[in-house]
């Protein structure tokens, strides 16, 4: 029940993570589009509308929501803040911070967004380098997690009586779930070690 009950939650988290990654990949190009529209003489709301219409989803969808919220009377500062909360991405939070600071202190918004896009691209470059350097450790962690499972399958196929005796023994009934739990804990610890935040 616990395993099957967690499947929808894990599926939704996976879909959310995939959508966030796609948003982050498209976001620097959307900021370039926004900057170009501002330099062409459009107002901020008009530039946001251009991105909403031209950018692919999910970036285009988020900018459409941003544009509609502002058009219906929500202050741009709050609309941008809500967008950052919806997307739950570092890039969206950087954008929201840049927009809010510009509205409070002034300055050239196009230049600020240019700088934000450059920071986001640099962050992606560093993140790719980190993933390349930690690829071996991530693969080792996955293999160490899968190896006992594969070995159990081999033993069940070649000598099923061997594991039946372990399951029949009173101590063995405790050792099997403890071993499975320790295996899962070790896997998550190794994943956390190589999951370097940039």
């Amino acid at each position: 029940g616990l395993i099957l009950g967690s499947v929808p939650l894990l599926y939704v988290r996976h879909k959310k993570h995939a959508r966030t990654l796609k948003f982050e990949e498209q976001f620097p190009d959307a900021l370039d589009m926004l900057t170009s529209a501002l330099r062409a003489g459009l107002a901020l709301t008009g530039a946001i509308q251009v991105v909403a219409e031209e950018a692919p989803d999910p970036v285009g969808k988020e900018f459409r929501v941003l544009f509609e919220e502002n058009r219906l009377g929500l202050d741009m500062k709050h609309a941008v803040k809500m967008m950052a909360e919806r997307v739950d991405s570092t890039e969206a939070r950087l954008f929201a911070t840049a927009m809010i600071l510009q509205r409070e202190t002034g300055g050239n918004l196009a230049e600020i967004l240019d700088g934000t896009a450059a920071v986001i691209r640099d962050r992606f470059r560093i993140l790719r380098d980190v993933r390349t350097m930690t690829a071996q450790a991530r693969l080792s962690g996955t293999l160490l997690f899968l190896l006992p499972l594969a070995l159990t399958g081999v033993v069940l196929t070649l000598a099923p009586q061997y594991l039946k005796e372990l399951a029949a023994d009173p101590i063995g009934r405790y050792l099997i779930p403890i071993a499975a739990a320790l295996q899962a804990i070790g896997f998550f610890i190794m994943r956390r070690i190589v999951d370097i935040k940039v």
Side-chain angles (χ1 to χ4, degrees), residues 17-127:
H17 182 66
R19 185 179 187 275
T20 304
L21 284 178
K22 196 172 181 185
F23 178 91
E24 289 175 347
E25 285 172 14
Q26 297 170 352
F27 198 52
D29 295 330
L31 288 182
D32 289 342
M33 201 184 300
L34 188 65
T35 304
S36 300
L38 288 169
R39 286 189 173 138
L42 290 174
L44 178 59
T45 50
I48 289 170
Q49 187 178 13
V50 167
V51 177
E53 291 170 357
E54 299 295 329
D57 286 342
V59 168
K61 186 175 181 180
E62 289 300 332
F63 273 90
R64 276 194 294 278
V65 173
L66 176 64
F67 174 73
E68 288 298 326
E69 284 179 342
N70 182 247
R71 190 172 66 87
L72 293 170
L74 189 65
D75 181 56
M76 182 60 76
K77 185 168 89 170
H78 295 296
V80 169
K81 199 180 287 185
M82 284 173 65
M83 175 185 166
E85 288 171 6
R86 263 194 322 273
V87 177
D88 191 24
S89 160
T90 305
E91 280 69 23
R93 285 191 287 274
L94 276 171
F95 170 70
T97 303
M99 290 280 289
I100 291 166
L101 281 173
Q102 190 276 334
R103 292 188 81 77
E104 289 179 354
T105 62
N108 189 330
L109 182 58
E111 284 183 15
I112 291 169
L113 293 178
D114 254 349
T116 306
V119 168
I120 291 169
R121 283 195 174 94
D122 284 343
R123 183 176 174 273
F124 268 118
R125 182 180 52 76
I126 294 165
L127 191 58

Side-chain angles (χ1 to χ4, degrees), residues 6-25:
S6 65
V7 168
L9 179 64
L10 292 171
Y11 176 75
V12 169
R13 284 187 67 181
H14 170 71
K15 294 294 282 184
K16 179 189 174 187
H17 182 66
R19 185 179 187 275
T20 304
L21 284 178
K22 196 172 181 185
F23 178 91
E24 289 175 347
E25 285 172 14

Side-chain angles (χ1 to χ4, degrees), residues 1 20 52 118 171 177 189 193:
T20 304
I171 298 173
I189 288 171
I193 289 169

